[in-house]
Amino acid sequence: MKITCENGHSFEKSSNCKVCPTCSANEHKDHEFLQHFSTPAQRALVQAGITSIENLKSAPFNDLIKLHGIGRTTIIKFKELLNQ
Ligand SMILES: [Zn+2]
């Protein structure tokens, strides 16, 4: 039986678990990315829609550093992550 999750991924429902595998993988990835930052920085990033390294790469750096909650430590971390 095919199921489509609220984010539009379709997947085969094999067990009683109705968690979308694509969504749960993405959530895990987002969680890992955000763990690099302090709580205020995490909040600012989520609000700005930046929850992955891909988002960070495509965001204008000068706008990122102006976000409320983004301090010097976070900016250093951004640079580390972007240089990886
Ligand atoms: Zn999904």
Side-chain angles (χ1 to χ4, degrees):
M1 168 186 176
K2 275 265 186 216
I3 288 191
T4 305
C5 84
E6 56 186 11
N7 292 317
H9 314 121
S10 56
F11 60 100
E12 199 70 41
K13 191 190 170 188
S14 50
S15 65
N16 287 332
C17 175
K18 54 176 188 273
V19 175
C20 165
T22 309
C23 283
S24 57
N26 283 347
E27 267 164 36
H28 185 69
K29 226 174 83 193
D30 288 359
H31 188 66
E32 267 178 42
F33 169 76
L34 289 170
Q35 268 188 339
H36 292 292
F37 305 103
S38 64
T39 313
Q42 285 182 9
R43 221 175 284 140
L45 287 168
V46 170
Q47 267 181 3
I50 297 160
T51 54
S52 69
I53 189 76
E54 287 78 18
N55 293 152
L56 184 66
K57 279 179 187 157
S58 57
F61 197 76
N62 288 335
D63 288 354
L64 287 176
I65 61 178
K66 282 186 226 148
L67 291 171
H68 186 74
I70 306 296
R72 216 160 55 93
T73 324
T74 311
I75 294 166
I76 292 166
K77 200 79 217 175
F78 282 164
K79 288 184 177 158
E80 273 178 31
L81 290 168
L82 291 168
N83 288 330
Q84 266 171 24

